[in-house]
Amino acid sequence: MTDIDLDDRTIVLHDAAAFDGMRAAGRLAAEVLDMLVPHVVPGVSTLALDRLAYEFVLARGAVPATIFYRGYSHSLCTSINHVICHGIPASKPLMNGDIVNIDVTVVLNGWHGDTSRMYFVGDVPLKARRLVDLTYEGMMLGIEAAKPGNTVGHIGAAIQKHAEKHRLSVVRDFCGHGLGRRFHMAPNIVHAGRAGDGPELRPGMFFTIEPMLNLGRADARILEDGWTAVTRDRSLSAQFEHSVGITETGAELFTKSPTGLDCPPYAA
Ligand code: MF3
Ligand code: CO
Ligand code: CO
């Protein structure tokens, strides 16, 4: 997600060949998250997951977009429990009961595929599982609102309404973003807002929808590493992210899991 002010406010409308490029990039990003599913268990480090992702992406002729991105040096963001986003992979092992967001962006043939999902580490308490479920539902409601005739504000309004109905807060410090040939571009996609506000959605727009919902307050703080965003009240936070393209009738999902692993629990 981006907190930068996009200096180029022109929203690119992409053609059919671009949709093909995004389908391939989005699918590869989703395959990274599928591949990681059996590896997200108590005792594994997020750094080990990062290495698996790095090898997987390179072996398929792509590169992780986040390496060398504004000084970042990993293939994944791994955001555990009260970490909202941009958690840096580390050697500390995951613990039973953790919830973790894994976010990956790949560049394949010049196109960016950006997606994230939550994972359960072992047995996760009900209130954390509920937060994860509601966050996934919020993202999907945002995607349903992503269609020609609506504006960016309709997406934010749909997510915010769902979150607040269930007494969750929506993080305002980070937004979804346009993407395509570049990682972060216009438009900025708010996850809370008013229907009718912001740019109108048109066929050919590509962007992410990546809401972050908290059990407690919405306020965020960045740690001294310059990246890790946490909830100020240390309440749990969850996030999902899809990359989508606007069509004549709605939104095409570029990053859907090819094996149905879109939302936990994943294990049989
Ligand atoms: N993938 C994140 C997003 O959804 C961006 C991560 S930038 C990084 O936009 F440098 F923190 F990796
Ligand atoms: Co993103
Ligand atoms: Co992302």
Side-chain angles (χ1 to χ4, degrees):
M1 63 293 326
T2 176
D3 56 353
I4 52 165
D5 221 57
L6 301 161
D7 33 13
D8 184 0
R9 286 169 190 280
T10 312
I11 303 175
V12 179
L13 299 181
H14 297 85
D15 63 11
F19 272 82
D20 284 339
M22 290 298 282
R23 278 180 201 122
R27 184 185 169 97
L28 177 59
E31 285 169 348
V32 174
L33 298 186
D34 284 7
M35 177 277 292
L36 290 172
V37 163
H39 297 282
V40 182
V41 291
V44 78
S45 73
T46 47
L47 201 53
L49 299 174
D50 189 77
R51 292 209 186 95
L52 286 171
Y54 178 77
E55 300 295 338
F56 186 92
V57 170
L58 289 197
R60 280 156 186 79
V63 291
T66 48
I67 295 184
F68 300 124
Y69 179 79
R70 294 170 173 257
Y72 201 77
S73 52
H74 292 85
S75 302
L76 302 176
C77 293
T78 51
S79 302
I80 304 165
N81 296 336
H82 70 293
V83 178
I84 296 170
C85 63
H86 300 167
I88 303 172
S91 53
K92 183 176 186 283
L94 290 170
M95 282 177 30
N96 184 58
D98 285 346
I99 58 170
V100 56
N101 174 278
I102 303 183
D103 190 335
V104 66
T105 309
V106 304
V107 194
L108 179 65
N109 298 323
W111 296 101
H112 289 76
D114 185 5
T115 184
S116 83
R117 297 178 204 152
M118 297 303 296
Y119 296 73
F120 296 154
V121 183
D123 298 315
V124 168
L126 180 61
K127 70 173 190 177
R129 280 188 275 136
R130 175 178 168 274
L131 169 67
V132 168
D133 281 352
L134 290 167
T135 305
Y136 181 76
E137 288 172 16
M139 175 185 67
M140 295 311 288
L141 288 167
I143 291 170
E144 274 175 41
K147 58 184 181 195
N150 277 356
T151 69
V152 166
H154 282 85
I155 298 172
I159 296 166
Q160 182 180 3
K161 185 178 158 207
H162 188 66
E164 291 177 357
K165 184 166 103 189
H166 296 281
R167 296 168 175 262
L168 303 174
S169 64
V170 181
V171 173
R172 315 301 163 102
D173 302 60
F174 303 95
C175 294
H177 50 91
L179 82 172
R181 291 266 183 211
R182 284 164 53 203
F183 190 175
H184 292 110
M185 48 200 284
N188 225 15
I189 304 297
V190 294
H191 301 119
R194 282 196 329 215
D197 282 1
E200 195 174 319
L201 302 175
R202 295 183 197 284
M205 288 183 181
F206 296 164
F207 52 80
T208 70
I209 300 179
E210 48 180 304
M212 289 138 276
L213 269 48
N214 300 344
L215 277 184
R217 297 183 60 88
D219 308 72
R221 177 170 79 83
I222 309 288
L223 299 187
E224 300 69 47
D225 61 25
W227 284 104
T228 311
V230 300
T231 56
R232 279 192 176 271
D233 62 7
R234 297 187 69 87
S235 67
L236 286 181
S237 186
Q239 179 180 30
F240 286 86
E241 174 175 28
H242 271 313
S243 297
V244 308
I246 300 299
T247 65
E248 297 295 328
T249 54
E252 176 178 340
L253 283 184
F254 294 134
T255 47
K256 198 170 170 39
S257 166
T259 56
L261 302 173
D262 288 294
C263 182
Y266 303 121

